[in-house]
Amino acid sequence: MVVQCELDENKYPKGIKISDQDLSEVYIEDIVELDLAYAITIHKAQGSEFEIVIIPVLTQHFKMLFRNLIYTGLTRAKKFAFFVGTRKALAMAVKNQDTSQRQTALKELIVSSVG
């Protein structure tokens, strides 16, 4: 899959084009604008910021569609955040609040250090 970001005359993203074909054109004057990039999980991105964030939001990954993950992914972007997927999946994520209990031993550690 290829994600292309078209920029306007001020070098701001104008749109994103996604295709399953190879990128066919790269302009020489734009090569200096390319940066090394990595795909990381939202969990690993916590505490970090990035200029541009692309967040896939697909119903195929419905077990990961939670409001807190959307918020965390969105707030990692300094300038631009793009959601790639369906409106249905984004709506599912926004409506779905993660209510699972966290599995930590914090209470036991506090009690053992005090007592």
Side-chain angles (χ1 to χ4, degrees):
M1 178 185 297
V2 175
V3 178
Q4 295 174 304
C5 184
E6 186 178 344
L7 302 178
D8 67 11
E9 63 277 354
N10 296 316
K11 296 286 185 183
Y12 287 99
K14 190 159 86 171
I16 293 179
K17 180 180 179 185
I18 301 173
S19 69
D20 289 323
Q21 300 160 359
D22 292 335
L23 183 63
S24 59
E25 296 180 46
V26 175
Y27 298 101
I28 295 296
E29 61 269 14
D30 294 333
I31 287 181
V32 295
E33 299 293 325
L34 296 178
D35 288 325
L36 183 60
Y38 299 93
I40 62 172
T41 66
I42 288 176
H43 293 95
K44 290 201 182 230
Q46 287 181 341
S48 301
E49 287 185 323
F50 306 94
E51 294 295 315
I52 297 173
V53 174
I54 301 173
I55 305 165
V57 186
L58 305 165
T59 54
Q60 290 91 330
H61 306 289
F62 67 93
K63 291 186 177 190
M64 296 297 294
L65 294 177
F66 290 108
R67 181 186 317 167
N68 62 322
L69 290 179
I70 295 296
Y71 174 81
T72 302
L74 182 62
T75 57
R76 299 307 94 205
K78 286 184 188 178
K79 290 187 178 182
F80 301 102
F82 296 99
F83 291 101
V84 178
T86 64
R87 291 177 191 262
K88 178 182 177 183
L90 183 58
M92 287 171 61
V94 169
K95 292 176 187 174
N96 193 9
Q97 190 165 356
D98 187 4
T99 59
S100 62
Q101 293 290 326
R102 304 217 185 261
Q103 302 296 317
T104 70
L106 182 60
K107 179 181 175 183
E108 290 78 14
L109 289 170
I110 292 173
V111 169
S112 68
S113 68
V114 173

